[in-house]
Amino acid sequence: MRIIRTKDYNSMSKIAANIIRAQSVMNPESVLGLSTGCSPLGTYKNLVKWYEEGELDFSKIKTINVDEYKGLTKDDPQSYAYFMNENFFFNININIENAHIPNGMAQDPEKECKRYDKIIESLGGIDLIMLGIGPNGHIAFNEPCEYFTKGSSLAVLSKDTIEANARLFDNPDDVPKLAYTMGTQSIFMAKKIIMVVNGEAKAEAVKNSFLGPITPQVPASILQMHNDFTLIADEAALSKI
Ligand code: GLP
């Protein structure tokens, strides 16, 4: 595990974007695993800027997102599909058919999870995945539990996660209670993993995940075992380690 300490959010974002840029240039047909949230937003901004400057080509890139709320359509501004379209996909030349995200409106959750796992399989796995972290140490929507998850599942969101994500909703009661998530094993199988983390509110999660024991009660702790994992974090997020 490598730790890159950055002075602030902007330098964190630039470093993460540079790693994704390198991956896309070295292999223009890469499969990228992607996340939503405030942490990766600056990374997407850099990538869009470089695309506009003619430095990047996403025409053969394939992407697979790690999670989506259940019950939100892709046109709902709170959905992760909407976030990805607005902040990344609609601003680059990706073939939108190559940009995968769980269908929050799927009728049958079990079928949807199977469909999503099949997509990961058909893509031949993930070359590089960018993660964020929840304040309770979750990755994607894999919440603290008794075991590390394997394939995709419909997760029941913890009270902590609902509270943390309520900041992005007008009404806290609107935060969905269920969400689709890629399994921890699928994430772990990615060839390279990067995680972007900023701010003091994440310092405890960083400490528990990367200085504590490897346990499903802190889902991100499994990343300690990955052989190509890079944590890119600002000083505030690293303030407890
Ligand atoms: C959400 C998402 C995660 C994300 C995390 C951090 O709950 N399920 O995929 O990494 O929270 O989000 P943020 O970067 O906005 O703090």
Side-chain angles (χ1 to χ4, degrees):
M1 151 170 185
R2 275 180 296 268
I3 300 180
I4 301 179
R5 185 189 185 96
T6 71
K7 72 175 190 315
D8 56 21
Y9 180 83
N10 285 342
S11 50
M12 174 196 82
S13 303
K14 202 162 215 169
I15 288 169
N18 258 310
I19 293 172
I20 296 174
R21 174 177 177 157
Q23 176 70 39
S24 319
V25 170
M26 298 303 154
N27 176 6
E29 296 183 17
S30 292
V31 177
L32 303 178
L34 299 175
S35 299
T36 53
C38 304
S39 316
L41 195 55
T43 305
Y44 294 131
K45 284 205 171 109
N46 279 293
L47 291 170
V48 168
K49 180 170 167 277
W50 294 332
Y51 165 72
E52 285 168 350
E53 290 167 0
E55 301 287 333
L56 282 172
D57 174 20
F58 293 93
S59 59
K60 292 194 180 121
I61 293 284
K62 295 169 195 107
T63 65
I64 181 121
N65 265 74
V66 298
D67 47 17
E68 176 61 288
Y69 287 121
K70 181 173 181 346
L72 300 189
T73 66
K74 61 183 188 327
D75 302 321
D76 187 315
Q78 299 293 356
S79 74
Y80 288 173
Y82 186 93
F83 174 100
M84 290 307 300
N85 287 338
E86 290 300 310
N87 294 300
F88 197 39
F89 299 145
F90 287 173
N91 307 321
I92 56 172
N93 66 336
I94 193 165
N95 174 352
I96 204 70
E97 284 176 11
N98 288 334
H100 305 282
I101 190 153
N103 175 8
M105 296 305 287
Q107 294 292 317
D108 181 338
E110 208 171 305
K111 255 197 193 154
E112 178 56 12
C113 293
K114 282 200 180 125
R115 181 189 76 87
Y116 213 59
D117 286 340
K118 280 238 160 66
I119 293 175
I120 300 170
E121 199 185 316
S122 70
L123 292 172
I126 301 170
D127 293 303
L128 169 67
I129 193 162
M130 171 170 59
L131 300 173
I133 191 170
N136 61 359
H138 74 221
I139 45 174
F141 269 128
N142 293 289
E143 297 280 39
C145 72
E146 295 303 311
Y147 51 85
F148 288 110
T149 59
K150 289 174 91 181
S152 302
S153 63
L154 183 64
V156 179
L157 303 187
S158 68
K159 202 169 147 272
D160 290 348
T161 297
I162 292 170
E163 271 169 28
N165 291 5
R167 75 199 139 100
L168 304 168
F169 287 76
D170 292 337
N171 181 349
D173 293 338
D174 292 345
V175 185
K177 311 290 179 283
L178 297 171
Y180 289 101
T181 183
M182 190 185 282
T184 308
Q185 187 193 49
S186 308
I187 293 172
F188 191 85
M189 297 284 279
K191 290 187 192 128
K192 292 174 195 298
I193 303 181
I194 61 173
M195 175 182 274
V196 281
V197 195
N198 68 287
E200 215 183 326
K202 299 280 178 74
E204 191 70 24
V206 168
K207 184 177 129 197
N208 294 340
S209 301
F210 305 119
L211 280 192
I214 296 169
T215 161
Q217 294 297 342
V218 185
S221 64
I222 192 73
L223 301 173
Q224 292 180 42
M225 288 181 67
H226 196 273
N227 60 15
D228 195 345
F229 169 58
T230 305
L231 171 67
I232 309 161
D234 72 356
E235 283 170 8
L238 293 175
S239 60
K240 294 200 172 160
I241 65 170

